[in-house]
Amino acid sequence: MRRIYSVFFFVLFVVLLFATDFRHLKGYETSLFLEISPLTFLASLLSSFTVYKGIVLSLLVIIPTVFLGRFFCSWICPMGILNQWISHIFNKRKNVDHNKINSYRSFFAFKYYLLTFLIVLAAFGSLQSGLFDPISLLTRSFTVSLYPAINHTAFTMYLKQPIFSGGMIITLIFISLMFANRFLTRFWCRALCPLGALLGVLSIYSPLRIFRDTKKCNDCRKCLKYCHGACEPHSELRQSECHLCMTCIEECPEGALHYGLKTQQSSEHLPIDVSRRRIIETAVASAVLFPMMRSAVNARTLDTESVIRPPGSIPEGDFLRRCIKCGECMRVCPTNVLQPALLEAGLEGLWSPVLINKIGYCEHNCVLCGHVCPTGAIVPLTVEKKIKTKIGTAFYNRGRCLPWAMNIECIVCEEVCPTSPKAIWFQNVELTMRDGSTKTLKRPFIDTKHCIGCGICQNKCPVHDSPAVYVTSIGETRSKTNQMILKGS
Ligand code: SF4
Ligand code: SF4
Ligand code: SF4
């Protein structure tokens, strides 16, 4: 039964992410898995004091977990299911000591400290949960690594082969996490996953759980053979670690294990293996780290030219309180302009979306990113509103612009500018050339009133390596401060 559900939910995750493409989007709930993550619910509630509409779906996981236990991890979570399958492949070897690899280790408690760290940061208004939330991590990794790799051979995932700046780092992290299963079954779930830790905390008092009948059990330890959570069902089970995979019940030859309410012969359960002192130390260290992050120069403290956010993005401070860096917007963007930021938006903005116009441009009639963003970091816009939303302003580098620097005719930027009236206009100039002949040349100017910063002029400029027209974030509609004080035309 569990195997059928796990295949179903994993395939559903893959299909929904596949459908997050402008060719396939037909109103499907493509962000479903991101919306049901309880970690996103809690962290975004703490960081922004709001819960964006779809995220209330996470109550469908939170409430049952309190009563049934941590069922999400083995039945629904695509990251957990993938880890389980990969572990299974690695551990098929004959010489594997299953009892050893499925025993609890003290470092599995690390995930609770990581959860503490993320919650304290969120309480201070810095939403970093998406870096470690397994659904965000998997969505980002598939978008930036796996799907582009499949597309490279099959051309099914994207219209054109996408590239992602700094994508190699995301790829290496994903591959390392998968490879860790070679050494320890479900390494991510057992040792690192903060969502698993949160579900463990929620499930600690669940009345329904796995119990061992101490009279029937003969300590053969066969229940350990395929245990997903390393929760030690053969002794005092660690409830917070139990993924409810039910393999222990299937494997027990004595029928000593059952899932349900406690009986008189049932064994005791162990509490969460964390030191209160370490939790307090982690919370204090996180609270100290927070002002250090905030005092650094970043797009929140100082308007930054290269932090051009997608149309519909809320002001930078609020954006960082909402964006979980899932990469859904990057997956749906038809021009590949949305890229995971490295440090240009500060440490807090790592892997949040920025536009890199050398790679793509914002399509004039496109509003897709706002419609798939699960947290409201980008709000959905109508096309009418979007084409009036300014995300930046274009400027000329006259030293590189062909008509300005070399007296060569070029009207590419004006031709592609999509606004009405066009934001690029020409001034005719009479020139005397080197050989004494005269020539009338059009020299381009930007009308800042009409430029919306879409970046197509930069993207199509024939001076490829460092385009003669470029967009910076100034003038963006969402900001009160990032504006030019003196406005021309
Ligand atoms: S609105 Fe612009 S940035 Fe957003 S998905 Fe469409 S083209 Fe990409
Ligand atoms: S802005 Fe993009 S990366 Fe951030 S939460 Fe929305 S869809 Fe995810
Ligand atoms: S960025 Fe360039 S193409 Fe886009 S509106 Fe401004 S001038 Fe026109």
Side-chain angles (χ1 to χ4, degrees), residues 397-413:
N397 179 348
R398 291 186 181 179
R400 297 181 65 85
C401 175
L402 301 180
W404 281 103
M406 294 157 216
N407 292 339
I408 297 172
E409 282 176 31
C410 174
I411 56 165
V412 172
C413 51

Side-chain angles (χ1 to χ4, degrees), residues 148-391:
I150 295 172
N151 195 68
H152 209 70
T153 48
F155 285 104
T156 48
M157 300 293 177
Y158 299 85
L159 190 63
K160 62 169 191 170
Q161 183 61 35
I163 50 170
F164 289 99
S165 112
M168 203 55 209
I169 302 170
I170 295 171
T171 306
L172 283 177
I173 292 173
F174 179 62
I175 290 174
S176 310
L177 289 175
M178 292 302 122
F179 196 64
N181 292 305
R182 164 84 175 67
F183 305 101
L184 203 61
T185 300
R186 291 187 77 148
F187 174 79
W188 162 265
C189 308
R190 293 177 181 179
L192 299 177
C193 181
L195 173 56
L198 177 61
L199 295 171
V201 173
L202 289 172
S203 70
I204 196 68
Y205 296 114
S206 69
L208 295 170
R209 54 178 72 189
I210 286 172
F211 286 105
R212 183 174 57 96
D213 186 327
T214 47
K215 290 218 167 94
K216 288 185 185 167
C217 173
N218 62 10
D219 202 26
C220 67
R221 304 196 173 198
K222 288 190 174 146
C223 52
L224 275 185
K225 192 168 180 191
Y226 298 116
C227 175
H228 289 196
C231 57
E232 310 206 306
H234 68 290
S235 68
E236 294 176 307
L237 184 136
R238 295 173 186 275
Q239 169 63 9
S240 58
E241 307 300 311
C242 176
H243 295 181
L244 286 184
C245 64
M246 307 291 182
T247 51
C248 54
I249 298 177
E250 286 166 22
E251 292 298 315
C252 177
E254 305 299 324
L257 294 161
H258 83 280
Y259 174 73
L261 296 168
K262 190 171 182 180
T263 63
Q264 273 192 337
Q265 282 81 32
S266 295
S267 60
E268 291 304 315
H269 283 185
L270 288 175
I272 300 180
D273 175 28
V274 287
S275 135
R276 194 171 296 176
R277 187 181 160 162
R278 282 223 187 116
I279 288 282
I280 294 169
E281 282 170 1
T282 309
V284 172
S286 316
V288 171
L289 182 71
F290 174 77
M292 289 183 185
M293 274 168 65
R294 277 291 159 84
S295 57
V297 172
N298 59 32
R300 187 201 290 255
T301 52
L302 219 54
D303 297 321
T304 307
E305 60 177 44
S306 57
V307 180
I308 305 169
R309 297 292 190 190
S313 296
I314 55 181
E316 187 64 14
D318 297 331
F319 186 88
L320 293 175
R321 266 184 226 115
R322 290 258 182 105
C323 176
I324 53 170
K325 297 118 182 197
C326 60
E328 276 280 285
C329 50
M330 299 167 214
R331 169 76 186 115
V332 82
C333 183
T335 69
N336 195 203
V337 68
L338 292 185
Q339 297 286 319
L342 288 172
L343 292 178
E344 55 269 50
L347 205 53
E348 282 186 86
L350 179 69
W351 296 333
S352 60
V354 287
L355 280 85
I356 299 189
N357 291 317
K358 266 190 84 173
I359 298 176
Y361 56 90
C362 185
E363 184 67 50
H364 200 50
N365 291 318
C366 174
V367 288
L368 293 175
C369 47
H371 286 270
V372 298
C373 177
T375 61
I378 312 171
V379 293
L381 298 176
T382 58
V383 173
E384 294 70 38
K385 196 154 180 212
K386 186 265 164 111
I387 60 178
K388 294 197 181 88
T389 301
K390 200 169 160 68
I391 54 175

